[in-house]
Structures are given as structure tokens and as C-alpha cells.
Amino acid sequence: MKIHISPTLAQVTPDNGIGQVVIAQHKYLPERGFEIVPAASADLIVCHATKGALPRVDVLHSHGLHWDDVPHAPYGRMHLRVNREIALAAREAYAVTVPAEWVAEPFLRDMRITPTVIGHGIDIEDWQAGENKGYILWNKNRRDDVCDPMPA
């Protein structure tokens, strides 16, 4: 099957959730019979945030919305615009996935869309099991409004 992934591999970096998932999709999907192609020749178009200039959205892999109640991260017009664009992409998509039940809640509550929860995975070869030294793993890779380490 021919698939288009947006953003493209050239448009992402590994220091955020969308980038990590797009990189993994490019690594593993070809091994499973998917050919990654431009949108114009794709059987399936998937995106990770908004539709942008794509001709359609078949699958939306949403990583979440922006919230206006985060004290250290002022909510502005850009956040409102992006949330609106995510909602429009979700309404157009045949399928919506999210990485956690918490991320699914506003889709269920506010958009009446039931997304499929698919948790993010890890490449086990990148992890070495060892002695438990009392550390915890924090599943956020940067400090900003959606990745605040204070709860840990």
C-alpha cells in the first residue's frame, strides 16, 4: 500500500513526540509492506496534527491539543488556530488515533469522536535493563506547556 505521512521525515526532528513517531513510521512501515510516497500518489494519507495543504486526511495521529489553563505557558491565537485545525482534521479523518486515554478525552467529550488509543512504543535495543537505582522515567522529552516535569 502506498502511504503518505505528514509531516515528512525531512520536516521533523527527534526531540519531540511527533518527530519520534514519524521517524519510527519511516523505519518500520516499509518492513510491513508500506511504500512511503508523495500525497498525490498515496492510497492512504496520514497526518500527525493538521491537514495543512494535504488533499485529504484518511488517518489522524493526534498527539493532543493545546490548553489555555497552563500558568507558565500563555495561550494565544496560534494555539486556538492549531486546535481548530486539529478538530477539522479529526472530523475529516476515517480514523483518529491518540497515544493515551487522557488525550482521547477532549475528542470524546467535545468532538463526539472516539479515537483509538495506541500507546507510543520504544525501540528495545535502545534500552539497557539494569539494576533498579530508584529512578523514574518521565515520558516527556522537553520542558514546555505540555511537557512540564513538575508532577514528577
Side-chain angles (χ1 to χ4, degrees):
M1 174 176 280
K2 295 179 179 180
I3 184 172
H4 178 76
I5 301 169
S6 176
T8 66
L9 191 56
Q11 294 172 317
V12 298
T13 58
D15 63 349
N16 60 76
I18 291 174
Q20 284 289 319
V21 175
V22 168
I23 290 166
Q25 287 177 320
H26 278 266
K27 180 177 179 181
Y28 294 113
L29 288 177
E31 296 173 3
R32 288 157 177 80
F34 290 91
E35 178 185 356
I36 300 170
V37 299
S41 58
D43 301 317
L44 186 67
I45 296 177
V46 301
C47 70
H48 287 268
T50 64
K51 180 178 179 180
L54 295 171
R56 66 183 191 279
V57 175
D58 298 315
V59 178
L60 171 66
H61 297 303
S62 178
H63 299 253
L65 299 167
H66 295 280
W67 298 102
D68 67 353
D69 62 349
V70 180
H72 63 277
Y75 186 85
R77 294 180 77 156
M78 181 277 299
H79 299 96
L80 181 63
R81 178 185 54 77
V82 170
N83 282 349
R84 184 181 311 115
E85 290 176 13
I86 292 169
L88 290 171
R91 288 189 174 113
E92 180 176 332
Y94 293 105
V96 177
T97 72
V98 295
E101 292 291 340
W102 183 84
V103 180
E105 288 177 9
F107 288 89
L108 289 161
R109 180 188 63 237
D110 302 325
M111 297 179 231
R112 307 296 192 259
I113 293 171
T114 304
T116 300
V117 177
I118 302 174
H120 293 313
I122 62 168
D123 285 327
I124 198 69
E125 64 269 10
D126 293 340
W127 292 83
Q128 296 290 328
E131 179 185 348
N132 181 338
K133 296 182 180 181
Y135 295 103
I136 64 167
L137 296 177
W138 179 247
N139 68 341
K140 301 297 181 177
N141 54 23
R142 66 194 185 281
R143 184 180 178 136
D144 65 11
D145 61 333
V146 298
C147 298
D148 185 354
M150 289 308 296

